[in-house]
């Protein structure tokens, strides 16, 4: 028998995300005010936020699958039970989506540190539609592994687009200190046995 996702499970996932998002906010403060932990904050921010958003997106997909299941049972469940289940699921989906949105807002704030002097490039991103909540599956995992291992690319800092809403062209930008954004890159990920290949 299928067991619906409980309020406790939703709360546990949101609480975990909230703790991470609070840590990310603290890192933004460190970056803004160039505290003693500036370098650590710059290096740790993107992987930490990306992991959080990936986990939340996975949970969002579980809730979407549960929604599909509930709808498939509409003809067999009592109307009151069906209505309660679908309404509860919608509330859970909303709070998870809002949590992801908060995370991407923090990502936008991080990206702004690198894009603030490149408004023309930023405007080009904003001309395109939003990329959605967060990339899932192999593609998402590949992007996260890339940002964990390649924040310095041939002397340039990598700004990961997936944790933002405003960077919509490509998967990452390359930032040169003193110059600004000098390029945009695209990632392709595919599973090869037990590993993910990224190009």
């Amino acid at each position: 028998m299928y067991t619906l996702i409980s309020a406790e499970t939703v709360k546990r996932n949101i609480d975990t995300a909230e703790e991470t998002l609070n840590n990310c906010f603290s890192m933004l403060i460190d970056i803004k005010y160039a505290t003693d932990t500036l370098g650590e904050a710059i290096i740790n921010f993107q992987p930490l936020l990306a992991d959080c958003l990936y986990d939340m997106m996975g949970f969002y997909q579980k809730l979407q699958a549960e929604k599909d299941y509930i709808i498939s049972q509409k003809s067999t469940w009592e109307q009151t039970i069906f209505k309660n289940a679908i309404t509860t699921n919608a509330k859970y989906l909303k709070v998870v989506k809002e949590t992801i949105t908060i995370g991407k807002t923090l990502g936008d704030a991080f990206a702004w540190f690198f894009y603030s002097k490149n408004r023309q490039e930023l405007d080009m991103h904003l001309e395109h539609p939003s990329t959605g909540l967060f990339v899932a599956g192999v593609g998402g995992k590949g992007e996260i592994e890339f940002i964990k291992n390649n924040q310095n690319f041939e002397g340039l800092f990598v700004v990961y687009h997936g944790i933002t809403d405003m960077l919509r062209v490509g998967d990452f930008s390359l930032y040169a200190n003193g110059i600004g954004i000098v390029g945009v890159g695209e990632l392709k990920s595919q599973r090869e046995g037990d590993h993910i290949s990224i190009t």
Side-chain angles (χ1 to χ4, degrees):
M1 181 178 173
Y2 185 90
T3 302
L4 297 179
I5 295 170
S6 67
E8 291 76 18
T9 299
V10 175
K11 184 179 186 307
R12 186 168 58 251
N13 278 271
I14 297 299
D15 286 349
T16 299
E18 181 181 20
E19 183 178 346
T20 301
L21 296 179
N22 283 334
N23 288 337
C24 288
F25 182 78
S26 295
M27 290 179 193
L28 289 175
I29 298 299
D30 290 341
I31 295 167
K32 180 176 181 179
Y33 295 106
T35 66
D36 293 342
T37 56
L38 169 65
E40 185 180 327
I42 290 174
I43 295 302
N44 292 332
F45 182 89
Q46 294 185 102
L48 184 65
L49 182 56
D51 272 336
C52 175
L53 294 179
Y54 183 82
D55 290 344
M56 291 306 293
M57 191 63 200
F59 188 56
Y60 185 84
Q61 289 180 319
K62 287 180 183 176
L63 287 166
Q64 284 283 21
E66 179 178 270
K67 176 183 175 182
D68 294 341
Y69 171 76
I70 293 168
I71 291 171
S72 75
Q73 299 301 307
K74 183 175 182 179
S75 62
T76 62
W77 288 2
E78 291 181 17
Q79 185 177 1
T80 305
I81 293 172
F82 171 79
K83 184 176 179 181
N84 182 56
I86 200 71
T87 301
T88 300
N89 177 271
K91 288 178 184 176
Y92 294 165
L93 280 167
K94 182 180 179 187
V95 73
V96 172
K97 183 177 181 181
E98 288 172 351
T99 303
I100 293 171
T101 300
I102 290 168
K104 292 190 89 169
T105 300
L106 295 176
D108 283 341
F110 179 83
W112 176 250
F113 290 122
F114 304 94
Y115 263 87
S116 60
K117 295 180 181 176
N118 296 91
R119 294 294 297 272
Q120 186 174 357
E121 286 82 359
L122 182 57
D123 288 343
M124 287 169 52
H125 282 280
L126 294 172
E127 288 173 1
H128 291 77
S130 174
T131 56
L133 290 178
F134 193 77
V135 65
V138 173
K141 203 53 156 173
E143 290 180 12
I144 291 172
E145 288 307 311
F146 175 81
I147 200 60
K148 284 181 178 178
N149 298 296
N150 298 283
Q151 291 194 66
N152 184 318
F153 186 79
E154 297 184 6
L156 303 171
F157 184 73
V158 176
V159 180
Y160 175 44
H161 296 182
I163 59 170
T164 76
D165 182 53
M166 67 184 188
L167 302 181
R168 303 171 179 180
V169 178
D171 295 317
F172 63 91
S173 296
L174 297 172
Y175 173 84
N177 196 22
I179 299 173
I181 302 300
V182 295
V184 173
E186 186 81 28
L187 297 170
K188 296 297 178 194
S189 303
Q190 61 184 25
R191 186 169 295 282
E192 293 181 356
D194 294 337
H195 301 85
I196 296 174
S197 173
I198 305 165
T199 54

